[in-house]
Amino acid sequence: MDGTFSHDVAFEDLDEPPASTPTFLDRLFDQGLLVRTGVDGLYGRSGAFESVVDAVDRMISGIGAGDGAEVMRFPPGMSRAVFERSGYLKSFPNLAGTVHSFCGHEADHAGLLACLDAGEDWTGDQAATDIVLTPAACYPLYPLAAERGALPAEGRLFDLQSYCFRREPSLEPTRMQMFRMREYVRMGSPEQVLAFRESWLARGEAMIRDLRLPLAIDVANDPFFGRAGRMLANNQRAQGLKFELNVPVNSLDKPTACLSFNYHQDHFGTTWELRQADGAVAHTACVGFGMERITLALLRHHGLDLTAWPESVRARLWG
Amino acid sequence: MIPAHDIREVLGHNGDLAPLVDQISEDDNLFDKGLSSFGSVQLMLALEQRFDIEFPDHLLNRRSFSTIRNIRSTLESLLEPSAA
């Protein structure tokens, strides 16, 4: 875990191309794999792109198939009350997305339309609803798990996938504002959840090797906000709570985290009063897969024509 | 030298440590005593306000705030740099 990529990057101009050369994002648009919406980081996906996402999703399911995870799927919006209690705003206020809706009366509606016609701000009567955009697939899960009472002795394991939102507009195709995150979430004793994380560190590495992508696993930190966030980030790194599996996609210097392996200690257990069988506060851990990021890594390394990908990769995905 | 009492006063207002502050020795690890990550951020901000300082980035870590002795040492390095 020294940050050295495990095998040579065998394609050219991974680092910033000359200004005249189409960027990777341009080429994805030109090939029709991604579709422009007019907003950076918000894209449509083609059938070919989705076929890769689906294949990666099946691959992950296959790797975890023997673990008996309980499958749950949530929409990309979650309860605002749950979101507020989760602590997300303490750490990432700048990334959060809230759902607002028109809450005025008829006269206000006329005013809204007048503003719209005049090209003025029409959002004055928009008010926050009880829904926020899901920032990570596991956020809706914890209170529901806690409602079931103490965990059984063997703990619990969940399988999640959701579109997630993070407000960070970027021209890097790997930093989308709305993207899919697949997760396995383990709840139990510290030993149980750390063993889970260790097993997925090995499985994740094997998975990405099977896809013939260069990788490096590094200690990491979440993008906590502000000066307080720098302290949280330093603490997270010092305690080895987060690891990321990185693949160079946009550049070698700033590789892209395609998988992350997170030990939350008792953060969510304490927040949601989630208990182990013996009454102690539960610990949690998760492995997260950036579905678009893995897909983009495959496209970057194996080319935009899926039919020309190495046979072993195609067999692993679609065989 | 900063009196331990001044640091304990700040700890006494920290949500994680307030109930235990009289039982914490100079070298007890505050994180072992229940100081959470967010609690350590609140402690950092409270110390900045109490002593009218700003911790530089390289001191924003667990070690700086892990014991009363380390907090004093960190504060003194900022308040009395010439004595270092």
Side-chain angles (χ1 to χ4, degrees), chain B:
Chain B
M1 180 149 170
I2 296 168
H5 173 266
D6 288 8
I7 296 172
R8 285 182 187 278
E9 193 177 290
V10 176
L11 297 182
H13 288 94
N14 185 278
D16 292 338
L17 299 174
L20 298 166
V21 70
D22 294 333
Q23 303 159 36
I24 297 174
S25 74
E26 282 274 294
D27 294 307
D28 276 341
N29 187 301
L30 300 179
F31 292 97
D32 292 344
K33 292 288 181 183
L35 184 63
S36 64
S37 284
F38 281 114
S40 68
V41 168
Q42 288 164 337
L43 175 60
M44 180 266 284
L45 295 172
L47 289 165
E48 288 190 341
Q49 190 170 12
R50 170 67 180 76
F51 294 99
D52 192 24
I53 50 159
E54 183 168 304
F55 292 104
D57 282 1
H58 74 274
L59 292 176
L60 296 178
N61 55 55
R62 280 170 80 84
R63 189 183 176 283
S64 300
F65 303 93
S66 58
T67 66
I68 291 176
R69 191 182 302 280
N70 283 352
I71 291 171
R72 182 192 295 113
S73 160
T74 303
L75 289 171
E76 287 176 353
S77 74
L78 295 172
L79 291 167
E80 303 163 19
S82 59

Side-chain angles (χ1 to χ4, degrees), chain A:
Chain A
M1 295 184 188
D2 59 359
T4 305
F5 288 100
S6 57
H7 51 87
D8 292 339
V9 178
F11 61 101
E12 59 191 24
D13 71 347
L14 184 58
D15 285 311
E16 280 302 302
S20 58
T21 310
T23 65
F24 182 41
L25 181 60
D26 291 333
R27 293 195 291 125
L28 290 162
F29 287 145
D30 293 345
Q31 193 76 13
L33 287 156
L34 292 181
V35 182
R36 285 186 179 88
T37 68
V39 178
D40 292 338
L42 193 69
Y43 309 122
R45 284 84 161 146
S46 73
F49 190 97
E50 286 300 287
S51 74
V52 182
V53 171
D54 290 346
V56 171
D57 204 37
R58 280 195 304 274
M59 187 176 176
I60 295 165
S61 296
I63 295 168
D67 299 342
E70 179 178 343
V71 176
M72 293 189 108
R73 295 288 181 265
F74 296 98
M78 63 177 284
S79 153
R80 183 173 139 201
V82 167
F83 173 81
E84 288 166 353
R85 186 169 159 186
S86 74
Y88 191 83
L89 289 169
K90 287 183 186 172
S91 301
F92 315 107
N94 52 323
L95 302 182
T98 51
V99 176
H100 285 58
S101 190
F102 175 68
C103 295
H105 298 289
E106 283 188 46
D108 304 314
H109 182 208
L112 182 157
L113 295 177
C115 287
L116 207 53
D117 276 347
E120 295 170 358
D121 178 24
W122 58 272
T123 60
D125 283 316
Q126 296 288 110
T129 67
D130 54 359
I131 297 173
V132 299
L133 298 176
T134 303
C138 60
Y139 269 67
L141 173 68
Y142 300 105
L144 299 177
E147 276 177 14
R148 294 182 178 178
L151 299 170
E154 67 274 19
R156 290 193 197 281
L157 176 66
F158 293 93
D159 169 344
L160 305 168
Q161 200 226 53
S162 177
Y163 256 101
C164 299
F165 174 85
R166 293 181 189 172
R167 173 70 181 155
E168 41 183 358
S170 169
L171 287 173
E172 288 181 359
T174 49
R175 193 165 295 285
M176 294 186 184
Q177 296 200 65
M178 299 195 94
F179 56 94
R180 274 158 294 184
M181 183 188 297
R182 177 84 184 267
E183 278 193 67
Y184 285 107
V185 180
R186 183 79 165 97
M187 303 175 177
S189 67
E191 295 76 20
Q192 287 170 332
V193 307
L194 283 168
F196 160 85
R197 189 175 70 158
E198 282 303 306
S199 77
W200 271 106
L201 275 161
R203 288 169 162 186
E205 182 173 346
M207 170 185 162
I208 297 302
R209 281 190 200 289
D210 278 357
L211 295 176
R212 294 184 58 183
L213 296 173
L215 67 94
I217 295 177
D218 292 302
V219 69
N221 61 266
D222 288 308
F224 297 109
F225 183 74
R227 284 187 69 240
R230 279 200 278 287
M231 181 145 157
L232 291 171
N234 289 339
N235 289 352
Q236 193 180 31
R237 293 181 86 90
Q239 293 177 279
L241 299 178
K242 184 181 189 74
F243 291 93
E244 289 176 340
L245 186 155
N246 292 306
V247 179
V249 179
N250 304 303
S251 75
L252 279 170
D253 291 343
K254 294 180 186 170
T256 297
C258 291
L259 281 71
S260 72
F261 313 86
N262 307 287
Y263 175 34
H264 315 126
Q265 299 175 298
D266 62 355
H267 172 71
F268 289 114
T270 300
T271 300
W272 296 107
E273 297 176 23
L274 180 65
R275 301 277 166 188
Q276 299 177 50
D278 64 3
V281 177
H283 284 229
T284 61
C286 70
V287 52
F289 304 84
M291 302 306 292
E292 282 81 2
R293 286 183 170 188
I294 296 170
T295 300
L296 290 165
L298 286 162
L299 290 164
R300 187 69 175 92
H301 286 267
H302 301 320
L304 303 190
D305 177 3
L306 277 51
T307 62
W309 284 8
E311 197 48 47
S312 67
V313 174
R314 289 185 53 80
R316 190 67 181 85
L317 289 171
W318 293 290

